[in-house]
Amino acid sequence: EISIIGVRDRLGNRSCYPLSENTHQEGILRLSLSRQGDPMYMQAEQYIGRLMDQLDYVGILALELFQVGDQLYANEFAPRVHNTGHWTIEGTHCSQFENHMRAVTGMTLGDTGMKVPSAMLNCIGQMPDPRPLEKLPGVVIHDYGKVARAGRKVGHITITADTDEELGALLHKVTGMVS
């Protein structure tokens, strides 16, 4: 599954974030990995653009898509900031949260471009021990303050690095620490 997150303002101006590649386990999103320059971006951007325009939508909209070969098939859309875009907090110039507020309050939309390769790893059931994670460069822990419960998203970890290769290595290390 991939997703694209778009933002549209009151005047119809819109912008999209790079695609996210999403990995699920037991029906729960576990990982979203930013995919700068993905060849499916243009097709996904056209789909979400038409959707936002047809709905005269203002704010952040997420569109989840199944990629089958070189085709995209819609799974669902969410009219809100979305878990698959939480990596935008540290990974882009203007996060999906800030851009949503900009759009609904009539401000100019912010830059949706990536600063660095990024990923988001959901914390399911309970938060991991933050002490070893806080020592890693490019790792930011977001604790939602929710009561721990099996299958519940209680937080996420954003991981950023200078290159896709460094991100992959760091993501592998973090995944091993929180699993």
Side-chain angles (χ1 to χ4, degrees), residues 4-5 15-19 41 60 88 92 94-96 99 112:
I4 187 165
I5 295 177
S15 187
C16 293
Y17 291 91
L19 294 181
Y41 177 81
I60 287 286
T88 67
T92 62
C94 184
S95 77
Q96 67 170 339
N99 253 336
T112 57

Side-chain angles (χ1 to χ4, degrees), residues 25 121 128 174-179:
Q25 280 181 302
L121 186 64
V174 170
T175 303
M177 296 168 75
V178 301
S179 297

Side-chain angles (χ1 to χ4, degrees), residues 12-30:
N13 299 308
R14 55 181 190 197
S15 187
C16 293
Y17 291 91
L19 294 181
S20 296
E21 179 179 350
N22 306 315
T23 304
H24 295 80
Q25 280 181 302
E26 301 171 359
I28 301 172
L29 178 67
R30 302 297 173 144

Side-chain angles (χ1 to χ4, degrees), residues 27-171:
I28 301 172
L29 178 67
R30 302 297 173 144
L31 171 68
S32 286
L33 182 63
S34 64
R35 291 183 14 180
Q36 178 85 14
D38 188 281
M40 301 307 293
Y41 177 81
M42 295 301 292
Q43 188 177 353
E45 182 186 42
Q46 289 173 356
Y47 289 167
I48 198 168
R50 283 189 295 206
L51 186 59
M52 288 189 293
D53 288 346
Q54 287 294 313
L55 295 172
D56 196 23
Y57 189 77
V58 175
I60 287 286
L61 184 77
L63 176 61
E64 295 180 353
L65 302 153
F66 294 118
Q67 181 179 349
V68 180
D70 64 351
Q71 297 293 313
L72 295 177
Y73 298 94
N75 176 24
E76 66 181 9
F77 69 91
R80 57 179 164 73
V81 294
H82 198 258
N83 200 212
T84 62
H86 284 0
W87 61 267
T88 67
I89 298 168
E90 281 80 28
T92 62
H93 297 285
C94 184
S95 77
Q96 67 170 339
F97 296 93
E98 181 180 343
N99 253 336
H100 181 72
M101 295 306 297
R102 287 174 165 275
V104 300
T105 61
M107 295 175 65
T108 302
L109 298 178
D111 183 352
T112 57
M114 282 180 55
K115 292 189 291 190
V116 291
S118 308
M120 184 279 307
L121 186 64
N122 268 325
C123 301
I124 309 296
Q126 65 182 14
M127 289 300 295
D129 181 356
R131 292 171 295 188
L133 294 168
E134 291 170 338
K135 296 176 184 174
L136 298 173
V139 174
V140 178
I141 302 164
H142 296 267
D143 186 335
Y144 303 160
K146 292 182 176 180
V147 174
R149 184 176 69 204
R152 184 180 210 186
K153 293 176 193 169
V154 294
H156 74 269
I157 300 167
T158 306
I159 304 155
T160 61
D162 291 330
T163 67
D164 288 333
E165 294 76 22
E166 290 173 7
L167 179 64
L170 187 54
L171 180 58

